[in-house]
């Protein structure tokens, strides 16, 4: 059936005019060019955001919203530490940097790259004091609550008396008149999280050995993974830091933030695109010239690659609206595959110089078509992975392969009409190699030889596969250089561990229940810090006591203002006329509570608003998590009005995590508290799809066997499929023997090993004239593919390295094994002839 279809299509091609074919091809390429230009003008872009490659996690709506909030809060933050020998210099340098960044923001207005430039907020304490003081009757520290619960009011009177006679006391007559036991200042101090940092002159300071570091923070107006935003943000930072260096040459600068990782990834990707793509292209050009000694094959090779890349870009932009830089890195491998059709065409022409270009295309059309279909299906297999980036790679390469295929079918009959110069040396070398391989294979046709060969392969595969380990860590997608990670680690230590990507999501059916849950979680996190599992955490429970806790504090303070007020005033020597005012104020506060809605109107509250997740945006106290006054989190505005379910949620940020497993164990059996670890979740998804991809590979082998059986018969089809299958198995064994862990990227590469390797098998299975032309074409094809993927193995990005290494091994094994199909085919043919004669 398949062979009949190929025959009819081939006949139609032979009857069509080469000029008409070329005209159709030119029209296609022109249309693709104009459409691509239109897409660029309509906003298509190159994407460098590594997050865009990550798989989509299936999360409930509240968890998904929490992830979005945390990413919006942390993703575009920039941290700069200016380390000096003394505090004065550090403060002056930080003020100068902030001045320069603010001047750039004012000069550029809405085009300013960095916003929300800050260090320590000197007005924060005053604002918090003004907010909480009216609620002082509902606030107690743990020691104060314990003293009142045990009716040990004397200890509180003694503490207040000590404050009255302390030269550095915060007590004054106005405060004493409203808070005679001076309970409120201690409560205000508990709002400041324990940290290594301190504030002076509005600058955040931390000690680094004998030096002092001043920390300046800012937020990128746009995503740090946007190449244009990267350039603008780095320009602003560089100008500011240059000014600091000029004034304070001894300053050491530490940087942290997604911006610097994204910039390193962009530079690495651009560098690899240039180097790997150019090296692959030069290698292909050298191969074509050495084989054919003619300019025309070289020009047509470039045309083939160019048309493939054009269609690849066109299809990718049409489907995704953007082109990822890593897609381009993977896409450089297209050069080594798309050129295969050109190699097969010219090798066949070299073997029969009397055959016309049109006849040569018709001759190889059935095999090339089948090879294209299987390779395209292999890329479709990659597209089944849950990675938008991998899906782009699949579309990019499959479309590129289509461009090369159409160029061969439509353009070669006319453009490749010129004769090749006489030269049979490459074919002679291919013939010699085949003869040597045939002689070698005859030694394995004996029972002993076949047994020894099978034993070696079996031992190799068993030992290698049993040594295979797995590693699905998503962080292999991007590994920043030490020049980025080392300063960031130093800065994280200064900031008490900073904030990690993992966080707690606490949920409850009501606002009050959620606040109580947060109060229950905080002691557990304090225990984790004491046990060195955690460095620090940021929780709203510090700022928003539950109504229950406020009521408890209020009733305990009744001991002061209703029972012991006379004793308190007398002991502290205060005017007895204060009693009615104090009691009236106490009674008036009974129905007044600290609420999230009121707290999030404060400057400090707005910064913490993204940690609070109301059931829907309309009820959100911060209006969809405003991060600052200028609406820096506006990128999530698309979520306005979405229904996030009936649950309230709160995010607890975690920093300096040392023992993630121990931390998970603390909340393992608590349904209301979820440790969100996106890295681990995505890695688990990668593991799942690694297994699925390997199953797809097995399924593809079965489908190929069925498809080829229609053309070649079952025995020959089994041999054709056995070559890439054995190559994949040997590749896995070699990875195990070399200690390379198995990941999704290895599995995706094995899909391509099958797709490309099956081409070699098909051409040898269809070979005539002893297969010299096929051997030469496969040799050149393997060389070009190894050039492309071998170079990918040298990538600094580990995922690309894994991909390239696996493909290099797989294609190498396929190249060594595929010529054996000729020997097997001859043996099958001989057996059939003998069977026919006997019958």
């Amino acid at each position: 059936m398949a062979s009949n279809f190929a025959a009819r299509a081939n006949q139609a091609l032979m009857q069509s005019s080469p000029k008409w074919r070329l005209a159709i091809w030119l029209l296609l390429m022109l249309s693709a060019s104009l459409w691509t230009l239109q897409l660029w003008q309509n906003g298509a872009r190159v994407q460098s955001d590594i997050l865009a490659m990550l798989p989509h996690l299936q999360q409930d709506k509240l968890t998904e919203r929490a992830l979005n909030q945390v990413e919006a809060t942390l993703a575009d933050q920039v941290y700069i530490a200016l380390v000096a020998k003394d505090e004065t210099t550090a403060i002056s340098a930080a003020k100068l940097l902030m001045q320069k960044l603010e001047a750039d923001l004012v000069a550029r207005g809405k085009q300013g790259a960095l916003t929300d430039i800050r260090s320590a907020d000197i007005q924060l304490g005053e604002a918090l004091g003004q907010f909480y003081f009216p609620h002082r009757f509902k606030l107690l520290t743990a020691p104060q609550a314990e003293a009142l619960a045990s009716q040990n009011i004397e200890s509180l009177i003694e503490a207040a008396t000590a404050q009255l006679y302390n030269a550095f006391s915060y007590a004054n007559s106005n405060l004493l008149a409203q808070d005679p036991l001076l309970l409120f200042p201690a409560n205000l101090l508990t709002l400041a999280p324990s940290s290594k940092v301190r504030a002076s002159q509005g600058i955040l300071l931390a000690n680094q050995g004998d030096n002092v570091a001043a920390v300046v923070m800012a937020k990128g107006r746009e995503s740090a993974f946007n190449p244009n935003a990267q350039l603008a943000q780095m320009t602003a930072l560089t100008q500011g830091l240059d000014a600091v260096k000029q004034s304070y040459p001894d300053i050491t600068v530490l940087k942290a933030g997604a911006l610097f990782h994204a910039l390193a990834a962009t530079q690495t990707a651009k560098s690899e695109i240039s180097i790997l793509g150019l090296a692959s292209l030069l290698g292909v050009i050298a191969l074509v010239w050495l084989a054919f000694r003619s300019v025309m094959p070289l020009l047509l090779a470039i045309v083939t690659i160019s048309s493939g890349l054009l269609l690849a870009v066109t299809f990718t932009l049409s489907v995704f609206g953007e082109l990822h830089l890593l897609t381009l890195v993977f896409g450089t491998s297209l050069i080594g595959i798309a050129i295969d059709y050109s190699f097969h065409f010219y090798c066949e022409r070299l073997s029969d110089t009397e055959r016309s270009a049109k006849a040569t295309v018709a001759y190889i059309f059935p095999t090339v078509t089948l090879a294209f279909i299987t390779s395209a299906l292999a890329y479709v297999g990659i597209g089944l992975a849950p990675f938008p980036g991998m899906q782009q790679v699949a579309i990019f390469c499959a479309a590129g392969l289509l461009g090369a295929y159409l160029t061969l079918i439509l353009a070669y009959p006319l453009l490749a009409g010129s004769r090749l110069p006489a030269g049979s040396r490459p074919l002679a070398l291919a013939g010699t190699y085949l003869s040597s391989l045939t002689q070698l294979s005859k030694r394995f046709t004996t029972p002993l030889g076949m047994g020894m060969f099978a034993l070696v392969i079996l031992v190799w595969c068993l030992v290698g596969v049993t040594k295979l380990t797995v590693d699905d860590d998503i962080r292999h997608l991007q590994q920043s250089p030490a020049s980025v990670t080392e300063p960031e680690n130093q800065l994280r230590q200064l900031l008490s561990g900073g904030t990690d990507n993992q966080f707690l999501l606490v949920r409850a059916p009501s606002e009050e229940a959620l606040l109580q849950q947060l109060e229950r979680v905080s002691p557990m996190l304090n225990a984790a810090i004491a046990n060195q599992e955690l460095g620090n955490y940021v929780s709203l429970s510090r700022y928003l006591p539950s109504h229950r806790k406020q009521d408890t504090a209020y009733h305990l303070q009744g001991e002061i203002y209703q029972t012991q007020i006379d004793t308190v005033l007398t002991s502290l020597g205060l005017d007895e006329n204060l009693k009615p005012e104090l009691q009236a104020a106490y009674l008036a506060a009974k129905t007044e509570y600290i609420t999230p809605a009121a707290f999030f109107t404060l400057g400090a509250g707005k910064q913490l608003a993204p940690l609070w997740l109301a059931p829907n945006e309309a009820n959100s106290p911060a209006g969809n998590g405003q991060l600052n006054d200028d609406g820096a989190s506006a990128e999530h505005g698309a979520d306005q009005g979405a229904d996030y379910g009936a649950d309230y949620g709160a995010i607890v940020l975690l920093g300096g995590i040392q023992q993630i497993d121990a931390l998970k164990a603390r909340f393992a059996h608590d349904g209301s508290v979820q440790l969100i670890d996106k890295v681990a979740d995505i890695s688990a998804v990668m593991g799942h799809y690694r297994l699925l991809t390997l199953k797809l590979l097995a399924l593809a082998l079965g489908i190929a066997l069925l498809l080829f059986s229609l053309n070649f018969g079952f025995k020959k089809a089994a041999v054709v499929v056995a070559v890439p299958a054995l190559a994949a198995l040997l590749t896995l064994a070699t990875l195990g023997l070399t200690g390379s862990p198995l990941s999704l990227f290895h599995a995706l590469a094995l899909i391509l090993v099958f797709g490309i390797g099956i081409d070699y098998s098909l051409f040898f299975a269809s070979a005539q004239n002893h297969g010299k032309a096929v051997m030469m074409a496969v040799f050149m094809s393997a060389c070009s593919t190894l050039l492309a993927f071998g170079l990918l193995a040298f990538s600094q990005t580990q995922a690309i390295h894994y991909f390239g290494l696996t493909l290099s091994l797989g294609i190498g094994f396929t190249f060594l094994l595929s010529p054996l199909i000729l020997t097997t085919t001859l043996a099958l043919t001989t057996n059939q002839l003998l069977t026919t004669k006997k019958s």
Side-chain angles (χ1 to χ4, degrees):
M1 181 178 175
S3 58
N4 291 335
F5 173 77
R8 288 195 297 270
N10 201 2
Q11 186 178 3
L13 280 173
M14 286 297 293
Q15 292 174 353
S16 61
S17 167
K19 291 182 179 180
W20 276 108
R21 287 203 227 174
L22 182 62
I24 294 171
W25 178 80
L26 289 172
L27 183 62
L28 284 172
M29 294 302 117
L30 179 61
S31 300
S33 301
L34 292 175
W35 178 243
T36 303
L37 183 62
Q38 180 71 19
L39 290 171
W40 283 118
Q41 291 176 342
N42 289 341
R45 62 194 178 106
V46 174
Q47 170 69 270
S48 66
D49 187 351
I50 198 69
L51 300 177
M53 287 196 73
L54 301 184
H56 300 297
L57 295 175
Q58 296 298 320
Q59 303 280 11
D60 64 86
K61 291 181 178 180
L62 188 64
T63 303
E64 184 178 351
R65 184 181 170 202
L67 284 166
N68 291 337
Q69 293 284 62
V70 171
E71 287 175 5
T73 304
L74 302 180
D76 303 323
Q77 294 286 342
V78 175
Y79 303 86
I80 305 294
L82 303 171
V83 185
K85 293 181 179 179
D86 59 88
E87 185 173 305
T88 303
T89 304
I91 291 174
S92 299
K95 287 183 174 179
L96 177 59
L97 177 59
M98 293 175 69
Q99 178 186 344
K100 293 295 182 182
L101 294 178
E102 286 167 354
D104 177 80
L105 180 60
V106 172
R108 295 176 180 268
K110 291 185 178 180
Q111 302 300 318
L114 295 170
T115 64
D116 194 21
I117 300 154
R118 65 198 187 279
S119 188
D121 188 350
I122 57 177
Q123 298 178 338
L124 177 61
E126 182 180 349
L128 289 174
Q130 291 176 353
F131 174 75
Y132 285 105
F133 189 74
H135 304 285
R136 62 192 177 279
F137 300 108
K138 294 191 174 180
L139 294 173
L140 286 175
T141 64
Q144 291 170 352
E146 184 179 351
L148 289 173
S150 61
Q151 297 185 343
N152 184 17
I153 198 168
E154 291 79 10
S155 64
L156 298 179
I157 294 174
E158 290 175 6
T161 303
Q163 285 297 321
L164 287 173
Y165 296 101
N166 189 335
F168 301 100
S169 172
Y170 35 72
N172 56 57
S173 58
N174 185 45
L175 180 61
L176 283 167
Q178 300 178 77
D179 182 21
L181 286 179
L182 301 176
L183 301 180
F184 179 70
N187 282 277
L188 193 60
L189 287 175
T190 61
L191 297 177
S194 58
S195 175
K196 300 176 184 177
V197 298
R198 63 187 189 280
S200 178
Q201 301 180 42
I203 301 299
L204 201 62
L205 300 173
N207 292 329
Q208 188 188 49
D210 296 331
N211 298 325
V212 178
V215 180
V216 175
M217 293 165 282
K219 182 174 178 64
R221 189 181 295 276
E222 296 183 67
S223 171
F225 297 99
N226 182 315
N228 294 330
Q230 288 174 16
L231 179 61
Q233 291 175 27
M234 281 305 301
T235 300
L237 281 174
T238 302
Q239 290 174 351
L241 291 173
D242 285 346
V244 170
K245 279 289 187 179
Q246 287 179 358
S247 300
Y248 307 98
D250 294 332
I251 286 283
T252 301
V253 179
L254 302 178
K255 304 174 186 176
L259 170 64
F260 308 107
H261 293 275
L263 191 65
T266 301
Q267 291 172 343
T268 299
K270 287 181 178 179
S271 173
E272 290 182 355
I273 289 168
S274 302
I275 295 173
L276 301 182
L278 180 61
S280 181
L281 186 59
L282 290 176
V284 168
I285 290 172
L287 272 174
V288 174
W289 178 258
L290 290 173
F292 306 118
R293 303 285 182 174
S294 175
V295 174
M296 199 59 197
L298 196 55
L299 291 177
L300 275 182
I302 295 173
V303 168
T304 304
I305 293 170
S306 300
S307 60
L309 291 176
L310 174 60
L311 282 194
V313 172
T314 302
F315 273 73
T316 305
L317 292 180
S318 298
V319 175
F320 298 98
E322 62 184 19
L323 189 61
H324 203 286
L325 277 174
L326 286 183
T327 299
L328 291 175
V329 175
F330 279 108
T332 58
S333 62
L334 180 63
I335 296 172
I337 304 171
I339 200 65
D340 289 358
Y341 302 145
S342 184
F343 289 158
H344 284 290
F345 173 84
Y346 275 108
C347 287
E348 288 297 339
R349 287 215 68 190
L350 199 64
S351 67
D352 187 353
T353 55
E354 298 301 320
R355 186 188 290 150
S356 68
K358 181 179 178 181
T360 304
V361 170
Y363 175 74
I364 65 172
F365 173 77
T367 308
V368 167
T369 301
L370 198 55
F372 164 70
I373 292 171
T374 52
S375 296
L377 287 175
Y379 282 118
V380 169
I382 286 182
L384 294 174
F387 293 82
M390 288 294 99
Q391 291 163 0
Q392 275 200 27
V393 170
I395 294 292
F396 187 92
C397 292
L401 212 57
L402 175 62
Y405 173 77
L406 291 176
T407 302
L408 172 70
I409 302 302
L410 300 176
Y412 273 52
L414 189 62
L415 295 182
S418 59
R419 292 182 178 274
L420 290 174
S424 58
R425 181 168 176 75
L427 283 175
L429 290 173
T432 303
Y433 175 78
L434 273 176
S435 298
S436 302
L437 197 63
T438 302
Q439 293 298 322
L440 181 64
S441 64
K442 287 180 179 178
R443 299 181 181 180
F444 296 107
T445 55
T446 62
L448 179 61
M450 291 181 65
M452 290 295 295
F453 179 75
L455 181 62
V456 170
I457 296 296
L458 182 62
V459 171
W460 186 352
C461 291
L462 283 176
V463 174
V465 171
T466 52
K467 286 190 174 184
L468 264 181
T469 57
V470 296
D471 185 358
D472 299 305
D473 196 333
I474 191 62
R475 284 167 289 197
H476 291 157
L477 266 176
Q478 177 179 335
Q479 290 181 313
S480 298
S483 59
V484 173
T485 56
E486 289 179 3
E488 180 171 271
N489 290 335
Q490 293 181 46
L491 186 47
R492 286 173 66 88
Q493 291 301 315
L494 291 177
L495 298 176
S496 303
T499 302
D500 293 325
N501 292 321
Q502 297 90 346
F503 62 91
L504 292 181
L505 175 59
V506 183
R507 64 179 75 210
S510 67
E511 184 175 282
E512 172 64 12
L514 179 59
L515 293 174
Q516 291 182 24
Q517 289 281 34
L518 287 172
E519 290 168 353
R520 183 178 60 82
V521 166
S522 291
M524 301 171 71
L525 292 175
N526 291 332
I529 292 175
N531 202 37
Q532 296 184 342
E533 299 168 12
L534 182 68
N536 62 84
Y537 67 93
V538 178
S539 173
L540 288 171
S541 65
R542 189 185 299 275
Y543 305 95
L544 295 173
S546 65
H547 283 199
R548 183 178 66 181
K549 186 175 181 180
Q550 293 181 62
D551 286 338
T552 300
Y554 182 81
H555 291 304
L556 287 174
Q557 289 200 50
E559 178 73 13
I560 301 172
Y561 296 103
Q562 292 183 321
T563 307
Q564 301 287 343
I565 186 64
D566 294 323
T567 303
V568 170
L569 294 176
T570 302
S571 299
L572 295 174
L574 299 177
D575 190 345
E576 292 184 0
N577 292 328
L578 294 174
K579 177 179 177 180
E581 295 180 11
L582 287 169
Q583 288 183 326
Y586 172 79
L587 291 173
K590 183 175 182 179
T591 57
E592 298 296 323
Y593 290 94
I594 300 167
T595 63
F599 175 72
F600 291 132
T601 62
L602 295 176
K606 288 180 181 179
Q607 294 294 330
L608 294 170
L611 304 185
W612 182 263
L613 306 172
N616 57 63
E617 297 297 333
N619 294 336
S620 177
N624 195 29
Q626 285 287 357
L627 299 181
N628 47 53
D629 293 334
D630 59 7
S633 68
E635 62 231 58
H636 291 284
D639 293 336
Q640 290 281 0
D643 179 14
Y644 288 99
D647 277 355
Y648 281 79
I651 296 166
V652 180
L653 298 177
L654 307 176
I657 297 175
Q658 300 296 326
Q659 301 178 47
I660 185 68
D661 292 335
L663 204 56
K664 286 181 179 179
R666 289 183 180 273
F667 305 101
H669 304 292
D670 192 335
S672 62
V673 183
Q674 182 182 2
L675 179 59
I676 306 295
D677 187 354
K678 187 174 181 179
V679 170
D681 291 343
I682 294 175
S683 298
V685 171
M686 286 182 66
H688 168 72
Y689 277 91
R690 169 178 48 79
L691 291 173
L692 179 61
T693 302
L694 292 175
K695 291 177 182 177
L696 282 174
L697 177 59
L699 178 62
L701 289 169
I703 293 173
L705 179 61
L706 180 63
L707 182 64
F708 298 155
S709 295
L710 300 176
N711 251 16
F712 305 119
F714 180 78
K715 289 184 179 179
K716 193 172 182 180
V719 175
V720 171
V721 172
V723 167
L726 184 56
L729 193 58
L730 288 171
T731 300
L732 288 173
T734 305
L735 291 173
L737 292 171
T738 56
S740 180
L742 185 64
S743 71
L744 174 60
F745 301 99
H746 293 94
L748 292 173
L750 287 175
I751 290 282
L752 279 190
V753 168
F754 162 73
I756 299 169
I758 207 76
D759 290 0
Y760 301 168
S761 298
L762 282 172
F763 279 105
F764 274 113
S766 306
Q768 297 179 14
N769 301 323
H770 305 290
K772 288 192 290 185
V774 172
M775 186 68 249
M776 180 181 169
V778 166
F779 171 76
M780 295 181 69
S781 174
C783 285
S784 63
T785 305
L786 287 172
L787 267 174
F789 292 117
L791 291 171
L792 286 183
F794 291 100
S795 172
Q796 296 179 32
T797 304
Q798 202 161 1
I800 299 176
H801 163 74
Y802 286 159
F803 195 85
L805 176 63
T806 307
L807 268 163
S808 297
L809 290 171
I811 296 303
F813 285 126
T814 306
F815 170 74
L816 293 174
L817 294 171
S818 57
L820 297 176
I821 292 177
L822 276 177
T823 307
T824 309
T825 301
L826 288 172
L828 289 173
T829 304
T830 303
N831 289 336
Q832 287 175 355
L833 289 173
L834 290 174
T835 304
T836 303
K837 286 182 179 180
K838 287 179 180 179
S839 61

